[in-house]
Amino acid sequence: MTAPDGQPLDVLVVGAGPTGLAAALIAHDHGAHVRIVDRRPDAPRFSRAFLVQPRTLEVLRPHGVTDELLALGDSNPQVHLHLRRRCVPVDVGEIRLPDTAFPNFLLVRQADVEAVLRRALRGRGVEVEWETQCESFRAVDGVVCDVTHQGIRRHIAARFLVGCDGSTSTVRATAGISWDGSVYPHEILLADIELEGDVQTGVTHVAVHRDGLLFLLPLGETARWRVLTAQPPNRAQAQTDRQHLQKILDRADVHARITRIAWSERVRVQHRVASRYRCGPVFLAGDAAHAFSPAGGQGMNTGIQDSADLGWKLAFAARLRPDGDAALLRSYAEERRRAAQQVLLLTHVLFWAEAGRGRVPSLLRGAFSSTGAPLVPVLLRRRRLVAHAVRVLAQLRRHYRRGPLSVEGSGDSGVAAPAGERIPDEEVAVDGGRQRLHDLIATPAVHVLLHRDTQWGMPPAPDGRLRVHRIRSWSGTGIVIVRPDGYVGFRSGSDTQGAAEWLELVGASPARST
Ligand SMILES: Cc1cc2nc3c(=O)[nH]c(=O)nc-3n(C[C@H](O)[C@H](O)[C@H](O)COP(=O)(O)OP(=O)(O)OC[C@H]3O[C@@H](n4cnc5c(N)ncnc54)[C@H](O)[C@@H]3O)c2cc1C
């Protein structure tokens, strides 16, 4: 059970997509020895996702990758909504959410997200082991994974294995976990194209028409534009010809002529959630655990957020006795499977509206495209409504209030976010002056936030796993413990005993420091 540096291996990650890379990075930053393998020969592949949500940026921030992501993407995307002959500009950048350091969606290629995560891992001495395919595993004193590399079979032993191997997951199949749900009767057509005509460059175009929505993103990888739209399945044709794609653009009232198709692909999409997320020391995350329609841009984001939930728990559990990690590890499946079910429902409804072939969604889209233009600015002026919708899409409303790690101690802490909710960003006063709360907790650790007058005898953990901050602007007494993924784990008035028990529960007690 060793890592390349001879240390015992805590976590083996199978799959170097965005979920696996994030899982490896986060577990590493919390002190785990990790390896990550992928069956692909190397990194390059075409992007599918283009939207990174504020919550995803929040969970990645302690791992030092968000500046690079922001530099590669567009956090002030301009969208032109095409409704028949009318074009309605929508300034997405205007939707500035108040209680987060990332007030907007980020438009960025999945390939760039993966490259940033790989670079971060490389900077920590962890390289993806390409051309290494997981064949199966056995749970023996941890887990032993059988892999093949260039035709040679090998075994990798680890305390935990995380299957981030996508929707056709070998890990899920080997664990005998059923893949509940079904395939949509649509394909998503993706193509990189060059256009001539009346299409403003540098802007995302969304055309609404009776047949469905068509997205034209200024983020092509082999040509200027990436087009994305749901279509009936076309088994005869894996590639898309120019004439066919031109017809789709014309029907969507996009007034431009395709001059070149550089690349195209059709992908089937599914709606499924794995029946279990865990089988002993083996966990599923990302598309291996759930598959959604692309509507609302949730798949990659949910996968990275799975990893933010699981990464620190595995690292902390690796330091606990095998029988001492029960609640910590159980909480992953309880929190994230429920989250996936909620996302599934959301993306199902959005996909019905976006691409449903029945009479009702077609009529709704038809009516919106012919009469919706004057309504859009009116709707956008309803700030609270827009903010609510954006927060749902951005996964900022996710909570684990009923989870086994969400504990309300005795007394009222006076802090608005209860145990299980994400701690909102705000300006606070600390010893060094005024600071944003999310800046203060942007390091990979459990953060104890003490109100001004709280008595606290526990020392910070020497390994940095536990950090203690006194918030001068929070009057009276109160203790709030924030998990490494930004959710409140424990909240109370002055229940230091309860706080100590919570830290013990998750393996963050200073007494456990190595
Ligand atoms: C058209 C389209 C648009 C989308 N748009 C968005 C969007 O805007 N926002 C969003 O959040 N999501 C979006 N998604 C979803 C997103 O692309 C996926 O959810 C995301 O790629 C999942 O990442 P993952 O790491 O879990 O799995 P994957 O990306 O599938 O990665 C799995 C990895 O595991 C490797 N692997 C598989 N089997 C093995 C094995 N046996 N051994 C070793 N390695 C193995 C594979 O080679 C691969 O590298 C979109 C999807 C589609 C189809």
Side-chain angles (χ1 to χ4, degrees), residues 14-21 37-40 45 47-53 110 114 130 132-135 164-171 188-190 228 267-269 285-288 290 292-294 296-303:
V14 175
T19 306
L21 292 164
V37 300
D38 196 292
R39 69 180 174 193
R40 280 186 278 148
R45 61 174 180 166
S47 296
R48 290 186 171 172
F50 290 93
L51 196 67
V52 172
Q53 293 159 0
Q110 179 169 338
E114 293 177 9
W130 298 112
T132 306
Q133 170 152 335
C134 162
E135 306 289 353
C164 305
D165 48 346
S167 59
T168 57
S169 174
T170 304
V171 174
I188 304 296
L189 190 161
L190 298 149
L228 194 155
V267 287
R268 290 306 293 265
V269 281
D287 276 18
H290 43 70
F292 313 127
S293 85
Q298 303 287 323
M300 174 178 73
N301 286 282
T302 308

Side-chain angles (χ1 to χ4, degrees), residues 177-308:
I177 296 174
S178 60
W179 191 214
D180 301 339
S182 176
V183 180
Y184 281 108
H186 306 74
E187 286 176 342
I188 304 296
L189 190 161
L190 298 149
D192 278 356
I193 58 174
E194 296 295 352
L195 286 174
E196 223 176 53
D198 187 17
V199 183
Q200 190 172 326
T201 53
V203 169
T204 295
H205 299 269
V206 182
V208 183
H209 59 111
R210 208 173 185 285
D211 297 348
L213 266 59
L214 180 136
F215 296 84
L216 203 52
L217 299 140
L219 289 171
E221 290 170 311
T222 48
R224 185 191 296 261
W225 295 101
R226 168 67 53 90
V227 65
L228 194 155
T229 186
Q231 292 290 300
N234 184 349
R235 287 185 188 86
Q237 239 186 341
Q239 302 280 302
T240 299
D241 64 42
R242 201 153 90 185
Q243 207 183 1
H244 176 64
L245 193 53
Q246 184 67 58
K247 255 193 216 156
I248 295 173
L249 253 64
D250 293 346
R251 270 187 73 81
D253 281 316
V254 175
H255 304 291
R257 195 174 68 83
I258 301 171
T259 55
R260 184 168 74 95
I261 299 185
W263 164 84
S264 73
E265 186 184 38
R266 288 166 170 271
V267 287
R268 290 306 293 265
V269 281
Q270 322 181 46
H271 50 99
R272 296 186 193 270
V273 177
S275 59
R276 286 179 293 138
Y277 271 29
R278 180 183 180 190
C279 173
V282 175
F283 296 80
L284 298 178
D287 276 18
H290 43 70
F292 313 127
S293 85
Q298 303 287 323
M300 174 178 73
N301 286 282
T302 308
I304 293 174
Q305 289 173 41
D306 290 344
S307 295

Side-chain angles (χ1 to χ4, degrees), residues 61 97-101 415 422-441 449-451 469-475:
R61 186 180 184 193
L97 299 169
D99 63 356
T100 169
V415 165
R422 158 190 169 272
I423 188 108
D425 196 16
E426 62 174 285
E427 194 176 75
V428 291
V430 288
D431 281 342
R434 296 197 78 79
Q435 207 179 344
R436 298 298 298 181
L437 181 57
H438 282 196
D439 287 343
L440 192 68
I441 61 172
L449 309 177
L450 301 175
H451 284 235
H469 316 269
R470 193 167 292 278
I471 312 291
R472 301 274 167 210
S473 48
W474 291 357
S475 58

Side-chain angles (χ1 to χ4, degrees), residues 71-125:
L72 286 168
D74 180 0
S75 55
N76 191 15
Q78 301 296 306
V79 176
H80 283 184
L81 203 54
H82 296 263
L83 302 166
R84 291 267 169 92
R85 309 226 155 252
R86 300 189 63 174
C87 169
V88 186
V90 178
D91 187 357
V92 181
E94 255 188 30
I95 309 164
R96 294 188 66 78
L97 299 169
D99 63 356
T100 169
F102 306 101
N104 292 317
F105 293 101
L106 179 70
L107 209 57
V108 63
R109 296 179 184 92
Q110 179 169 338
D112 288 335
V113 175
E114 293 177 9
V116 167
L117 294 172
R118 272 197 311 275
R119 269 198 292 281
L121 274 172
R122 184 171 303 138
R124 290 151 170 87

